[in-house]
Short mmCIF file of all heavy atoms in Angstrom, two decimals:
data_model
loop_
_atom_site.label_atom_id
_atom_site.label_comp_id
_atom_site.label_asym_id
_atom_site.label_seq_id
_atom_site.Cartn_x
_atom_site.Cartn_y
_atom_site.Cartn_z
N VAL A 491 3.81 -1.69 -8.76
CA VAL A 491 2.71 -1.54 -7.72
C VAL A 491 1.33 -1.67 -8.38
O VAL A 491 0.55 -2.50 -8.14
CB VAL A 491 2.80 -0.39 -6.72
CG1 VAL A 491 1.74 -0.38 -5.75
CG2 VAL A 491 4.19 -0.47 -5.98
N CYS A 492 1.07 -0.63 -9.17
CA CYS A 492 -0.17 -0.60 -9.88
C CYS A 492 -0.16 -1.43 -11.12
O CYS A 492 -0.32 -1.02 -12.24
CB CYS A 492 -0.54 0.90 -10.16
SG CYS A 492 -0.88 1.92 -8.79
N VAL A 493 0.12 -2.74 -10.89
CA VAL A 493 0.40 -3.58 -12.07
C VAL A 493 -0.72 -3.93 -12.87
O VAL A 493 -1.86 -3.60 -12.57
CB VAL A 493 1.01 -5.03 -11.50
CG1 VAL A 493 2.36 -4.82 -10.77
CG2 VAL A 493 -0.01 -5.62 -10.66
N SER A 494 -0.49 -4.40 -14.16
CA SER A 494 -1.64 -4.70 -15.00
C SER A 494 -2.28 -5.99 -14.49
O SER A 494 -1.82 -7.10 -14.71
CB SER A 494 -1.05 -4.82 -16.37
OG SER A 494 -1.98 -5.35 -17.26
N ALA A 495 -3.53 -5.83 -13.79
CA ALA A 495 -4.14 -6.96 -13.26
C ALA A 495 -5.70 -6.63 -13.18
O ALA A 495 -5.94 -5.46 -12.97
CB ALA A 495 -3.56 -7.32 -11.91
N SER A 496 -6.52 -7.62 -13.24
CA SER A 496 -7.93 -7.36 -12.87
C SER A 496 -8.06 -7.14 -11.50
O SER A 496 -7.22 -7.36 -10.65
CB SER A 496 -8.71 -8.55 -13.38
OG SER A 496 -8.52 -9.75 -12.50
N HIS A 497 -9.25 -6.58 -11.16
CA HIS A 497 -9.53 -6.23 -9.72
C HIS A 497 -9.34 -7.49 -8.85
O HIS A 497 -8.66 -7.30 -7.76
CB HIS A 497 -11.03 -5.82 -9.65
CG HIS A 497 -11.60 -5.84 -8.24
ND1 HIS A 497 -11.24 -4.98 -7.23
CD2 HIS A 497 -12.36 -6.86 -7.69
CE1 HIS A 497 -11.91 -5.43 -6.03
NE2 HIS A 497 -12.61 -6.47 -6.38
N ILE A 498 -9.81 -8.56 -9.12
CA ILE A 498 -9.85 -9.69 -8.33
C ILE A 498 -8.29 -10.27 -8.14
O ILE A 498 -7.89 -10.66 -7.13
CB ILE A 498 -10.86 -10.77 -8.44
CG1 ILE A 498 -10.91 -11.59 -7.31
CG2 ILE A 498 -10.59 -11.60 -9.83
CD1 ILE A 498 -11.40 -11.08 -5.97
N ALA A 499 -7.59 -10.17 -9.30
CA ALA A 499 -6.30 -10.76 -9.27
C ALA A 499 -5.37 -9.90 -8.46
O ALA A 499 -4.52 -10.22 -7.73
CB ALA A 499 -5.83 -10.89 -10.79
N PHE A 500 -5.59 -8.58 -8.57
CA PHE A 500 -4.83 -7.61 -7.87
C PHE A 500 -5.13 -7.79 -6.42
O PHE A 500 -4.24 -7.46 -5.49
CB PHE A 500 -5.21 -6.14 -8.28
CG PHE A 500 -4.26 -4.98 -7.71
CD1 PHE A 500 -3.04 -4.87 -8.27
CD2 PHE A 500 -4.78 -4.29 -6.62
CE1 PHE A 500 -2.19 -3.87 -7.67
CE2 PHE A 500 -3.88 -3.25 -6.04
CZ PHE A 500 -2.66 -3.12 -6.67
N GLY A 501 -6.21 -8.23 -5.99
CA GLY A 501 -6.52 -8.50 -4.55
C GLY A 501 -5.57 -9.48 -3.91
O GLY A 501 -5.47 -9.46 -2.73
N SER A 502 -4.91 -10.32 -4.68
CA SER A 502 -3.86 -11.19 -4.21
C SER A 502 -2.49 -10.46 -4.38
O SER A 502 -1.65 -10.59 -3.57
CB SER A 502 -4.00 -12.45 -4.89
OG SER A 502 -2.89 -13.32 -4.38
N ILE A 503 -2.24 -10.04 -5.53
CA ILE A 503 -0.91 -9.50 -5.86
C ILE A 503 -0.58 -8.28 -4.99
O ILE A 503 0.58 -7.97 -4.66
CB ILE A 503 -0.94 -8.97 -7.40
CG1 ILE A 503 -1.06 -10.28 -8.21
CG2 ILE A 503 0.29 -8.18 -7.72
CD1 ILE A 503 -1.40 -9.82 -9.82
N ARG A 504 -1.61 -7.55 -4.38
CA ARG A 504 -1.33 -6.32 -3.65
C ARG A 504 -0.59 -6.37 -2.35
O ARG A 504 -0.57 -5.40 -1.64
CB ARG A 504 -2.63 -5.62 -3.55
CG ARG A 504 -3.69 -6.41 -2.59
CD ARG A 504 -4.98 -5.56 -2.49
NE ARG A 504 -5.95 -6.29 -1.59
CZ ARG A 504 -5.88 -6.17 -0.34
NH1 ARG A 504 -4.98 -5.36 0.28
NH2 ARG A 504 -6.86 -6.87 0.37
N MET A 505 0.06 -7.47 -2.01
CA MET A 505 0.59 -7.70 -0.77
C MET A 505 2.10 -7.10 -0.81
O MET A 505 2.73 -7.06 -1.71
CB MET A 505 0.68 -9.17 -0.32
CG MET A 505 -0.72 -9.83 -0.35
SD MET A 505 -1.85 -8.92 0.72
CE MET A 505 -3.51 -9.38 -0.10
N GLU A 506 2.39 -6.43 0.31
CA GLU A 506 3.63 -5.81 0.50
C GLU A 506 4.82 -6.60 0.05
O GLU A 506 5.79 -6.11 -0.53
CB GLU A 506 3.82 -5.11 1.90
CG GLU A 506 2.91 -4.00 2.17
CD GLU A 506 3.25 -2.73 1.33
OE1 GLU A 506 4.35 -2.26 1.61
OE2 GLU A 506 2.38 -2.32 0.57
N PRO A 507 5.10 -7.83 0.55
CA PRO A 507 6.16 -8.60 0.02
C PRO A 507 6.22 -8.73 -1.45
O PRO A 507 7.32 -8.74 -2.09
CB PRO A 507 6.05 -10.05 0.70
CG PRO A 507 5.05 -9.80 1.87
CD PRO A 507 4.23 -8.63 1.36
N VAL A 508 5.06 -8.91 -2.08
CA VAL A 508 5.03 -9.10 -3.53
C VAL A 508 5.49 -7.65 -4.17
O VAL A 508 6.25 -7.74 -5.21
CB VAL A 508 3.62 -9.43 -4.01
CG1 VAL A 508 3.53 -9.48 -5.52
CG2 VAL A 508 3.18 -10.83 -3.45
N PHE A 509 5.02 -6.59 -3.68
CA PHE A 509 5.41 -5.31 -4.21
C PHE A 509 7.01 -5.19 -4.12
O PHE A 509 7.66 -4.71 -5.05
CB PHE A 509 4.92 -4.18 -3.45
CG PHE A 509 3.32 -3.89 -3.78
CD1 PHE A 509 2.60 -3.31 -2.84
CD2 PHE A 509 2.73 -4.34 -4.90
CE1 PHE A 509 1.24 -3.12 -3.09
CE2 PHE A 509 1.47 -4.23 -5.05
CZ PHE A 509 0.63 -3.52 -4.30
N MET A 510 7.66 -5.68 -3.08
CA MET A 510 9.06 -5.55 -3.08
C MET A 510 9.76 -6.48 -4.09
O MET A 510 10.63 -6.25 -4.65
CB MET A 510 9.50 -6.10 -1.49
CG MET A 510 9.31 -5.03 -0.60
SD MET A 510 10.14 -5.27 1.02
CE MET A 510 8.69 -6.18 1.97
N ILE A 511 9.13 -7.78 -4.25
CA ILE A 511 9.63 -8.65 -5.22
C ILE A 511 9.51 -8.00 -6.63
O ILE A 511 10.57 -8.03 -7.39
CB ILE A 511 8.79 -9.95 -5.13
CG1 ILE A 511 9.04 -10.71 -3.85
CG2 ILE A 511 9.00 -10.81 -6.40
CD1 ILE A 511 8.09 -11.87 -3.58
N LEU A 512 8.36 -7.46 -6.90
CA LEU A 512 8.21 -6.90 -8.30
C LEU A 512 9.07 -5.53 -8.41
O LEU A 512 9.54 -5.30 -9.56
CB LEU A 512 6.75 -6.56 -8.55
CG LEU A 512 5.75 -7.65 -8.43
CD1 LEU A 512 4.49 -7.37 -8.87
CD2 LEU A 512 6.21 -8.80 -9.38
N GLY A 513 9.25 -4.86 -7.34
CA GLY A 513 10.29 -3.64 -7.49
C GLY A 513 11.68 -4.21 -7.87
O GLY A 513 12.33 -3.43 -8.76
N GLN A 514 12.15 -5.14 -7.30
CA GLN A 514 13.46 -5.69 -7.52
C GLN A 514 13.52 -6.23 -8.98
O GLN A 514 14.53 -5.85 -9.63
CB GLN A 514 13.83 -6.78 -6.56
CG GLN A 514 15.35 -7.34 -6.92
CD GLN A 514 15.77 -8.44 -6.05
OE1 GLN A 514 14.99 -8.90 -5.17
NE2 GLN A 514 16.91 -8.88 -6.17
N SER A 515 12.49 -6.99 -9.35
CA SER A 515 12.52 -7.63 -10.77
C SER A 515 12.52 -6.40 -11.80
O SER A 515 13.11 -6.49 -12.81
CB SER A 515 11.36 -8.53 -10.86
OG SER A 515 11.70 -9.66 -9.97
N GLY A 516 11.66 -5.50 -11.43
CA GLY A 516 11.58 -4.31 -12.42
C GLY A 516 12.79 -3.61 -12.56
O GLY A 516 13.18 -3.05 -13.66
N ALA A 517 13.60 -3.33 -11.49
CA ALA A 517 14.85 -2.70 -11.53
C ALA A 517 15.89 -3.47 -12.23
O ALA A 517 16.77 -2.94 -12.90
CB ALA A 517 15.26 -2.28 -10.15
N ALA A 518 15.85 -4.77 -12.09
CA ALA A 518 16.72 -5.72 -12.78
C ALA A 518 16.55 -5.60 -14.25
O ALA A 518 17.48 -5.62 -15.10
CB ALA A 518 16.70 -7.15 -12.29
N ALA A 519 15.24 -5.60 -14.69
CA ALA A 519 14.85 -5.47 -16.14
C ALA A 519 15.44 -3.98 -16.57
O ALA A 519 15.84 -3.91 -17.74
CB ALA A 519 13.40 -5.61 -16.27
N ALA A 520 15.22 -3.06 -15.76
CA ALA A 520 15.66 -1.69 -16.22
C ALA A 520 17.12 -1.70 -16.53
O ALA A 520 17.54 -0.95 -17.46
CB ALA A 520 15.41 -0.72 -15.13
N ALA A 521 17.92 -2.38 -15.68
CA ALA A 521 19.38 -2.52 -15.89
C ALA A 521 19.76 -3.06 -17.34
O ALA A 521 20.60 -2.51 -18.10
CB ALA A 521 20.06 -3.21 -14.90
N ILE A 522 19.05 -4.11 -17.66
CA ILE A 522 19.25 -4.73 -18.98
C ILE A 522 18.82 -3.75 -20.10
O ILE A 522 19.52 -3.55 -21.11
CB ILE A 522 18.38 -6.05 -19.11
CG1 ILE A 522 18.93 -7.03 -18.07
CG2 ILE A 522 18.43 -6.55 -20.40
CD1 ILE A 522 18.15 -8.36 -17.91
N ALA A 523 17.64 -3.05 -19.95
CA ALA A 523 17.18 -2.20 -20.99
C ALA A 523 18.16 -1.00 -21.15
O ALA A 523 18.49 -0.57 -22.29
CB ALA A 523 15.79 -1.48 -20.61
N ILE A 524 18.74 -0.36 -20.10
CA ILE A 524 19.72 0.54 -20.14
C ILE A 524 20.96 0.03 -20.78
O ILE A 524 21.55 0.71 -21.70
CB ILE A 524 20.05 1.00 -18.69
CG1 ILE A 524 18.74 1.79 -18.13
CG2 ILE A 524 21.26 2.06 -18.70
CD1 ILE A 524 18.90 2.21 -16.64
N GLU A 525 21.56 -1.10 -20.47
CA GLU A 525 22.71 -1.56 -20.99
C GLU A 525 22.66 -1.77 -22.51
O GLU A 525 23.60 -1.50 -23.22
CB GLU A 525 23.05 -2.95 -20.24
CG GLU A 525 24.32 -3.43 -20.85
CD GLU A 525 24.71 -4.86 -20.21
OE1 GLU A 525 24.00 -5.30 -19.48
OE2 GLU A 525 25.80 -5.45 -20.41
N ASN A 526 21.46 -2.26 -22.99
CA ASN A 526 21.32 -2.50 -24.45
C ASN A 526 20.60 -1.43 -25.12
O ASN A 526 20.39 -1.55 -26.38
CB ASN A 526 20.54 -3.90 -24.45
CG ASN A 526 21.39 -5.13 -23.98
OD1 ASN A 526 22.22 -5.56 -24.60
ND2 ASN A 526 20.93 -5.51 -22.72
N GLU A 527 20.25 -0.27 -24.39
CA GLU A 527 19.47 0.84 -25.13
C GLU A 527 18.36 0.37 -25.83
O GLU A 527 18.16 0.61 -27.04
CB GLU A 527 20.47 1.55 -25.98
CG GLU A 527 21.70 2.07 -25.27
CD GLU A 527 22.65 2.93 -26.13
OE1 GLU A 527 22.47 2.93 -27.50
OE2 GLU A 527 23.64 3.67 -25.64
N ILE A 528 17.47 -0.31 -25.02
CA ILE A 528 16.26 -0.90 -25.72
C ILE A 528 15.05 -0.57 -24.88
O ILE A 528 15.15 -0.05 -23.72
CB ILE A 528 16.36 -2.48 -25.81
CG1 ILE A 528 16.65 -3.05 -24.53
CG2 ILE A 528 17.43 -2.96 -26.86
CD1 ILE A 528 16.63 -4.60 -24.47
N ALA A 529 13.88 -0.78 -25.51
CA ALA A 529 12.67 -0.51 -24.77
C ALA A 529 12.52 -1.63 -23.62
O ALA A 529 12.92 -2.80 -23.75
CB ALA A 529 11.47 -0.60 -25.78
N VAL A 530 11.71 -1.29 -22.55
CA VAL A 530 11.55 -2.22 -21.57
C VAL A 530 10.73 -3.42 -22.10
O VAL A 530 10.93 -4.51 -21.48
CB VAL A 530 10.66 -1.67 -20.30
CG1 VAL A 530 11.59 -0.59 -19.72
CG2 VAL A 530 9.47 -1.01 -20.81
N GLN A 531 9.88 -3.31 -23.14
CA GLN A 531 9.26 -4.50 -23.68
C GLN A 531 10.21 -5.40 -24.39
O GLN A 531 9.70 -6.45 -24.70
CB GLN A 531 8.15 -3.79 -24.63
CG GLN A 531 7.03 -3.17 -24.12
CD GLN A 531 7.40 -1.72 -23.73
OE1 GLN A 531 8.36 -1.17 -24.14
NE2 GLN A 531 6.36 -0.94 -23.31
N ASP A 532 11.28 -4.92 -24.78
CA ASP A 532 12.22 -5.65 -25.62
C ASP A 532 13.37 -6.43 -24.76
O ASP A 532 14.37 -7.08 -25.27
CB ASP A 532 12.95 -4.90 -26.72
CG ASP A 532 12.01 -4.46 -27.77
OD1 ASP A 532 11.11 -5.20 -27.97
OD2 ASP A 532 12.18 -3.33 -28.22
N VAL A 533 13.25 -6.31 -23.33
CA VAL A 533 14.26 -6.91 -22.59
C VAL A 533 14.25 -8.49 -22.66
O VAL A 533 13.18 -9.05 -22.84
CB VAL A 533 13.91 -6.69 -21.05
CG1 VAL A 533 14.66 -7.54 -20.06
CG2 VAL A 533 14.19 -5.18 -20.70
N ASP A 534 15.46 -8.96 -22.94
CA ASP A 534 15.60 -10.33 -23.23
C ASP A 534 15.27 -11.18 -21.97
O ASP A 534 15.89 -11.09 -20.90
CB ASP A 534 17.00 -10.80 -23.52
CG ASP A 534 17.18 -12.20 -23.82
OD1 ASP A 534 16.92 -12.62 -25.07
OD2 ASP A 534 17.64 -12.93 -23.02
N TYR A 535 14.17 -11.95 -21.93
CA TYR A 535 13.67 -12.67 -20.90
C TYR A 535 14.61 -13.65 -20.28
O TYR A 535 14.79 -13.81 -19.05
CB TYR A 535 12.27 -13.27 -21.14
CG TYR A 535 11.89 -13.94 -19.85
CD1 TYR A 535 11.39 -13.34 -18.65
CD2 TYR A 535 11.70 -15.38 -19.80
CE1 TYR A 535 11.09 -13.99 -17.56
CE2 TYR A 535 11.26 -16.05 -18.66
CZ TYR A 535 10.97 -15.28 -17.49
OH TYR A 535 10.66 -15.88 -16.38
N ASP A 536 15.41 -14.33 -21.10
CA ASP A 536 16.19 -15.39 -20.69
C ASP A 536 17.36 -14.81 -19.80
O ASP A 536 17.74 -15.32 -18.77
CB ASP A 536 16.76 -16.13 -21.82
CG ASP A 536 15.85 -16.99 -22.57
OD1 ASP A 536 14.92 -17.45 -21.90
OD2 ASP A 536 16.09 -17.34 -23.64
N GLN A 537 17.88 -13.62 -20.31
CA GLN A 537 18.81 -12.88 -19.57
C GLN A 537 18.30 -12.43 -18.17
O GLN A 537 18.95 -12.47 -17.08
CB GLN A 537 19.38 -11.76 -20.27
CG GLN A 537 20.40 -10.86 -19.50
CD GLN A 537 21.01 -9.71 -20.33
OE1 GLN A 537 20.68 -9.50 -21.51
NE2 GLN A 537 21.74 -8.92 -19.73
N LEU A 538 16.99 -11.96 -18.24
CA LEU A 538 16.39 -11.34 -16.98
C LEU A 538 16.20 -12.58 -16.04
O LEU A 538 16.49 -12.39 -14.81
CB LEU A 538 15.15 -10.70 -17.32
CG LEU A 538 14.28 -10.21 -16.16
CD1 LEU A 538 15.01 -9.18 -15.25
CD2 LEU A 538 12.96 -9.60 -16.60
N ARG A 539 15.68 -13.64 -16.45
CA ARG A 539 15.53 -14.76 -15.64
C ARG A 539 16.88 -15.30 -15.01
O ARG A 539 16.77 -15.66 -13.76
CB ARG A 539 14.79 -15.93 -16.32
CG ARG A 539 14.44 -17.10 -15.57
CD ARG A 539 13.69 -18.16 -16.20
NE ARG A 539 13.27 -19.22 -15.12
CZ ARG A 539 12.04 -19.60 -14.94
NH1 ARG A 539 11.07 -18.98 -15.56
NH2 ARG A 539 11.88 -20.46 -13.85
#
Side-chain angles (χ1 to χ4, degrees):
V491 177
C492 295
V493 298
S494 180
S496 70
H497 158 76
I498 195 59
F500 190 78
S502 173
I503 294 170
R504 66 182 178 85
M505 305 306 156
E506 290 288 300
V508 179
F509 287 155
M510 287 190 266
I511 290 167
L512 299 182
Q514 179 179 6
S515 294
I522 297 173
I524 291 168
E525 180 181 8
N526 294 283
E527 298 182 352
I528 56 175
V530 294
Q531 293 84 0
D532 292 329
V533 166
D534 182 83
Y535 177 68
D536 290 337
Q537 181 182 353
L538 177 58
R539 180 171 189 127

